[in-house]
Amino acid sequence: MRIGIDVGGTNTDAVLLDGRQVLASIKTSTTEDVTSGIVAAINGLQQQRAFDPAAVQAVMIGTTHFINALVEAHRLAPTAAVRLSLPAGASLPPMVDWPQRLVDAVSGRSYLVHGGHEFDGRHIAELDESELRKAAEDMGANGVRSVAITSVFSPVNAEFEARAAEIIAAQLPDVAISLSHEIGRIGLLERENATVINAALRELAAHIVDGLAASVSGAGITAPLYLSQNDGTLMDVDFARRYPVATFASGPTNSMRGAAVLSGLDTCAVVDVGGTTSDVGVLRQGFPREATTDVSVAGIRTNFRMPDVLSIGIGGGSRVRGGAGDVTVGPDSVGYELTSKALVFGGDTLTATDLAVAAGRAEIGDPSLVAHLDRDLVRAALDRVAADVSDVVERMRTSAEPLPVVAVGGGSVLLPDELADAGKVHRPENYAVANAIGAAIAQIGGEVDRVYAIEPGRREAVVEEAKQEAVDRAIAAGASPASVGIVDFDEVPIPYLPGNATRIRVKAVGDLQLGA
Amino acid sequence: MREITIDHLDDIARGAAILGTGGGGDPYIGRLLASSAVRDHGPVALVPLGEVGDDAVVLPVAMMGAPTVMVEKLPSAEQVGLAARTLATYLGKELTHIACAEAGGVNSLIPVVAAAQLGLPLVDADGMGRAFPELQMVLPTLYGIRATPMSIADEKGNRGVLDTVDNHWAERLARSATIDMGCSAMISNYAMSGAQARESLVPGTLSLCAELGSAVRQARAEHGDPVARVVERLGGRKLFTGKVVDVARRTVTGFARGEAKLSGMDGDAGSEMVLKFQNEHLVAERDGVPQASVPDLICCLDRESGEAVTTEGLRYGQRVTVIAAPADPRWHTPEGIDLAGPRYFGYDIDPVGVPA
């Protein structure tokens, strides 16, 4: 048995699974301190279906807590950005393009030091260790508690980042250190930004992870705890302490993964209709397609891996305005006030949920309260919703191949059974808790993303080496060796570079080794 | 516009991406560098081409190398200034003006960095009136102005001057030096007098970029039609509105070549357009019939936002409007067509111009 919990901004959803069978599922309200919401969710499962806590083999939690902390600039640690790049890069120092509010929130300090590599592994300059020691001294004097280290072309060669970490740790043993090559990809500013954000969240991560562990063990569960990551795989709690940014997009990712399992489709578009927005993503071989462009988080450009998700302002709480001829749905929503404002709950606001009830697509609240609605208006508004969602699905396709559509989330009752271009809409059972199911069934992954200079005749060997490394990483992270397979492989020659420079990305994924 | 301030940079970048006709890459780093240089040194004086004196010493500056490297090993403002100063020293002349070689992507903003850093005025002009992929494809070539002597500088302070027998050697030697310098170098070439600049450059390019950028921004704010505003300002015409249904790319000798297929929407439903590109869009065909070609500008814009879509950024499912606009008339001379007409790029057709 395993438990999956998805902590969203509004709801905390939980499921108890045996294999892939849902034994119990519950929706509770997210609490300010997160942990009491989790305790409530586990209790709720227990009430629905009594289980022996000792029989639970793993607990998986997806949480939006860390991204919210960044957006709200809340509880961020005093952070220093160390960049190994001189004599390059001085014109654009760390955090150059950040909103000032967030620079202040992390008490951001920057240090530029000689070092870094060229694209082909040569040194731009030797690492200047005395500069680093001086920087560390200054950090100590200024109360820095977390450090982000970024070296030019560290995705090609990480030796300088590792050495700089040793030097700083020797002088400041209590600070947390984050290294950029473990977090982002080529694109210095974006990778550095992601690393500084990670560094600023390290203290909060330690605190939250302890809280999650305490609430799970408080329920008598001794099984290991995992957190779900942006890419749909799991990390253990130690990893979560070190890489809180890896949780940023786990919400949409978990919904998509859950949709795949529930529908049995591993290549599809997933429409997750919530209270305020509909998020559309694409699954390939059961994993979310990643965004290929930089992703802006709280106004900061970053390049860590995030699922490619398009959102539109249509959800169960969307306000409906106008008449049959000029109806609009959203983008504003009554949000968590749905149960007091929507007509079906005796409120005075026409919402998308009222439309679904009036059209007989859902039984929510009191249907008699919407019986008076103009049929043409209801039809026109629902057609509008279908057309807009269909448009977004269409935009997410990357080829003319047909792509089945799976609808999940509490608001998916808004969608018709057929979408114009996409055809039939799949609606799996338990669609409302797809996110918690996605967390519960997540697997363990390992990844390699590096630029290789491929010598003539060596391509096969280099590719094999990269694949083996990804597999080894998955196993080291806790995957059962027999189940590990390569799920993604991408080889891109880099134009304008000599020496057959090729960026290779491999992802290996396997099932979590349970009860070892 | 007589001065470039930080507030103009976003508009210039947005407009340059349109004139870049699909090439030039993401101007993000160029924009950050320019805004940091202007913050440090103050606004850049922008001089109309007609006001540049005969004896002025005008040096265009640009970035050479791989954009993939530039986003990792960030160039410095000093490096840009160094390229220009090195060439001036070799020429034994006092540098008076900075110029822009091409409108498009990062190279529309590198000259702003150089001018701010050196405290020099920037000429409101460029060498193409658009973007082209190769070094010799500038109007000064038509006036016999040589690419060399040219300078090249890296972030370490290394610099070199190439004085070559022809432009082919300049390209070849500069390419090797660029690789040794770590694949991201700043160059200055096509040094010219004020008189030569007035004769050979395309006037008003940077102002035009800023105007296009601000027109798009404003049209969006007013819920107007940004694409129509661009067409109007460029004196061009709408060719096609459609959805990208296929993109085929291959890398040939360092250039991204390829074709994009669009399936018609709105008034163009039932028709198909094919865009052929090498970094920049070269030929646009509707149902097999060429509608526009180099040297005229073929710009692919997001149908709703009016933002330029680069050839690298073309993806299945995008809704775009393709527009064509006339190039500087000198590109339509026989010499101009030889230098950058469709046949140079391997398309056996006569240039298809946009009716004025």
Side-chain angles (χ1 to χ4, degrees):
Chain A
M1 271 192 309
R2 49 174 82 186
I3 291 175
I5 303 172
D6 187 87
V7 188
T10 315
N11 286 322
T12 295
D13 301 341
V15 292
L16 178 67
L17 288 190
D18 183 9
R20 302 216 153 171
Q21 192 196 347
V22 180
L23 301 179
S25 69
I26 185 157
K27 265 184 187 299
T28 59
S29 294
T30 296
T31 53
E32 175 91 37
D33 63 350
V34 177
T35 53
S36 59
I38 288 182
V39 172
I42 295 175
N43 288 340
L45 292 176
Q46 186 67 264
Q47 279 163 20
Q48 248 186 53
R49 167 96 184 217
F51 62 91
D52 174 10
V56 174
Q57 290 166 296
V59 177
M60 287 80 164
I61 299 180
T63 174
T64 51
H65 202 79
F66 300 118
I67 192 165
N68 291 344
L70 176 70
V71 171
E72 291 159 17
H74 187 56
R75 301 181 63 185
L76 304 175
T79 301
V82 176
R83 186 194 293 169
L84 315 175
S85 70
L86 290 178
S91 294
L92 300 177
M95 297 175 266
V96 61
D97 204 19
W98 281 40
Q100 189 58 41
R101 175 182 79 89
L102 285 173
V103 178
D104 295 343
V106 304
S107 317
R109 305 184 74 82
S110 300
Y111 301 89
L112 271 78
V113 171
H114 281 80
H117 288 75
E118 303 280 9
F119 68 94
D120 55 5
R122 286 177 292 152
H123 296 176
I124 294 174
E126 296 311 310
L127 184 65
D128 191 326
E129 302 195 353
S130 67
E131 275 177 9
L132 262 175
R133 290 196 182 91
K134 228 178 277 164
E137 217 168 277
D138 189 69
M139 291 174 212
N142 284 287
V144 166
R145 295 207 297 272
S146 195
V147 180
I149 303 175
T150 308
S151 184
V152 179
F153 277 112
S154 62
V156 175
N157 188 331
E159 59 175 341
F160 286 166
E161 287 187 0
R163 178 68 191 132
E166 281 173 18
I167 292 169
I168 292 172
Q171 242 168 293
L172 303 170
D174 297 327
V175 305
I177 296 179
S178 304
L179 304 183
S180 83
H181 73 277
E182 295 175 330
I183 289 173
R185 50 194 180 212
I186 299 276
L188 184 94
L189 287 176
E190 292 84 356
R191 184 173 76 251
E192 179 176 76
N193 289 343
T195 312
V196 175
I197 291 172
N198 189 72
L201 290 168
R202 290 279 295 267
E203 286 188 353
L204 179 65
H207 177 78
I208 292 291
V209 166
D210 286 346
L212 296 177
S215 45
V216 169
S217 65
I221 298 170
T222 52
L225 173 64
Y226 296 89
L227 274 82
S228 52
Q229 305 192 65
N230 302 337
D231 68 354
T233 61
L234 294 171
M235 54 185 169
D236 63 22
V237 287
D238 276 344
F239 191 93
R241 275 174 214 275
R242 285 180 287 133
Y243 303 100
V245 290
T247 64
F248 272 19
S250 56
T253 296
N254 284 338
S255 293
M256 282 193 255
R257 293 272 302 150
V261 170
L262 292 172
S263 66
L265 294 167
D266 71 349
T267 297
C268 58
V270 177
V271 184
D272 182 7
V273 189
T276 307
T277 61
S278 296
D279 300 331
V280 181
V282 170
L283 285 167
R284 272 192 320 215
Q285 292 192 47
F287 285 89
R289 185 176 78 211
E290 283 174 9
T292 50
T293 49
D294 300 316
V295 178
S296 172
V297 181
I300 300 171
R301 245 168 102 116
T302 66
N303 65 5
F304 51 88
R305 290 195 229 324
M306 293 283 248
D308 191 4
V309 173
L310 254 178
S311 297
I312 48 167
I314 292 180
S318 293
R319 289 170 186 267
V320 180
R321 296 193 179 86
D326 60 349
V327 70
T328 61
V329 181
D332 54 333
S333 162
V334 298
Y336 66 91
E337 293 178 310
L338 183 73
T339 50
S340 59
K341 295 222 158 165
L343 300 184
V344 288
F345 292 110
D348 56 6
T349 309
L350 180 58
T351 66
T353 297
D354 299 316
L355 301 174
V357 175
R361 288 187 190 168
E363 280 177 38
I364 300 168
D366 179 355
S368 71
L369 293 172
V370 291
H372 67 286
L373 288 178
D374 174 13
R375 296 281 111 190
D376 292 339
L377 171 75
V378 170
R379 194 172 313 115
L382 288 172
D383 285 352
R384 175 88 259 150
V385 168
D388 287 356
V389 169
S390 167
D391 197 50
V392 177
V393 170
E394 185 61 14
R395 275 164 196 255
M396 292 297 287
R397 287 165 69 182
T398 51
S399 77
E401 294 282 297
L403 193 62
V405 175
V406 178
V408 295
S412 59
V413 291
L414 289 178
L415 300 182
D417 293 333
E418 297 261 341
L419 279 178
D421 292 325
K424 180 175 169 339
V425 174
H426 298 256
R427 295 169 192 282
E429 227 184 308
N430 292 308
Y431 62 86
V433 288
N435 47 4
I437 292 169
I441 49 90
Q443 295 168 296
I444 292 267
E447 222 169 283
V448 170
D449 178 1
R450 212 176 294 151
V451 176
Y452 292 85
I454 299 182
E455 290 160 29
R458 287 262 307 147
R459 186 188 161 272
E460 294 293 310
V462 168
V463 168
E464 267 324 297
E465 197 182 298
K467 285 185 173 171
Q468 190 56 48
E469 192 176 335
V471 169
D472 291 346
R473 285 185 181 194
I475 294 169
S480 93
S483 68
V484 179
I486 305 287
V487 294
D488 207 357
F489 175 78
D490 191 24
E491 186 183 2
V492 185
I494 301 180
Y496 299 105
L497 282 183
N500 293 320
T502 302
R503 179 171 162 194
I504 294 179
R505 298 169 63 187
V506 196
K507 182 152 126 189
V509 166
D511 294 333
L512 179 64
Q513 181 108 14
L514 278 179
Chain B
M1 194 165 91
R2 299 302 302 237
E3 170 174 274
I4 296 178
T5 66
I6 289 180
D7 294 338
H8 292 125
L9 296 173
D10 280 353
D11 284 342
I12 293 177
R14 187 176 290 123
I18 295 171
L19 293 184
T21 65
D26 180 357
Y28 178 64
I29 295 289
R31 199 168 69 223
L32 282 186
L33 272 178
S35 90
S36 113
V38 172
R39 196 177 308 119
D40 290 351
H41 303 283
V44 167
L46 191 64
V47 181
L49 187 58
E51 291 179 17
V52 178
D54 282 354
D55 300 331
V57 177
V58 181
L59 300 189
V61 292
M63 180 261 173
M64 184 164 184
T68 335
V69 169
M70 201 186 60
V71 300
E72 178 66 29
K73 187 175 74 167
L74 308 173
S76 68
E78 287 71 24
Q79 186 187 352
V80 187
L82 186 62
R85 279 213 317 271
T86 300
L87 184 55
T89 306
Y90 179 81
L91 295 168
K93 289 180 179 166
E94 181 117 5
L95 167 58
T96 63
H97 294 78
I98 294 294
C100 175
E102 71 172 333
V106 68
N107 277 339
S108 59
L109 289 160
I110 290 293
V112 177
V113 178
Q117 211 259 324
L118 297 170
L120 288 170
L122 177 62
V123 182
D124 188 4
D126 83 315
M128 307 177 189
R130 50 164 297 152
F132 273 128
E134 294 174 25
L135 191 134
Q136 75 283 4
M137 294 175 175
V138 289
L139 289 172
T141 301
L142 301 182
Y143 292 84
I145 300 170
R146 295 171 58 214
T148 70
M150 76 174 266
S151 63
I152 181 163
D154 71 12
E155 75 288 345
K156 302 171 188 74
N158 294 311
R159 57 213 169 111
V161 174
L162 303 171
D163 203 342
T164 59
V165 292
D166 58 26
N167 288 349
H168 175 74
W169 275 103
E171 164 76 27
R172 183 165 166 179
L173 294 176
R175 196 62 64 188
S176 323
T178 301
I179 290 168
D180 274 336
M181 287 176 162
C183 254
S184 168
M186 292 299 158
I187 60 169
S188 182
N189 55 5
Y190 292 101
M192 57 185 91
S193 69
Q196 286 175 312
R198 286 206 312 274
E199 178 182 57
S200 70
L201 297 181
V202 179
T205 305
L206 290 160
S207 310
L208 175 60
C209 289
E211 280 174 46
L212 286 171
S214 104
V216 167
R217 177 167 50 80
Q218 284 177 13
R220 236 172 16 215
E222 295 156 7
H223 302 288
D225 180 353
V227 175
R229 302 279 271 275
V230 171
V231 170
E232 185 187 34
R233 181 63 190 82
L234 290 177
R237 66 185 181 103
K238 259 189 211 186
L239 292 183
F240 196 79
T241 293
K243 188 181 97 166
V244 180
V245 291
D246 192 31
V247 185
R249 292 190 181 85
R250 57 194 193 282
T251 302
V252 179
T253 60
F255 294 109
R257 295 197 74 135
E259 285 190 7
K261 218 175 268 172
L262 317 179
S263 144
M265 300 167 56
D266 306 344
D268 296 306
S271 282
E272 188 181 84
M273 173 156 279
V274 174
L275 291 172
K276 301 181 173 184
F277 55 83
Q278 172 180 323
N279 294 16
E280 285 80 25
H281 293 296
L282 305 173
V283 179
E285 288 175 0
R286 182 195 182 104
D287 299 326
V289 182
Q291 303 292 303
S293 78
V294 277
D296 279 353
L297 287 72
I298 300 168
C299 315
C300 188
L301 308 178
D302 182 279
R303 180 175 69 137
E304 272 144 43
S305 73
E307 297 281 344
V309 179
T310 63
T311 52
E312 306 147 293
L314 277 171
R315 282 196 293 120
Y316 177 93
Q318 284 167 335
R319 272 86 160 148
V320 297
T321 296
V322 180
I323 68 168
D328 185 283
R330 289 167 288 179
W331 283 118
H332 285 284
T333 60
E335 299 76 23
I337 299 291
D338 281 350
L339 199 55
R343 289 204 169 78
Y344 179 87
F345 292 101
Y347 301 103
D348 194 19
I349 56 168
D350 290 328
V352 185
V354 181

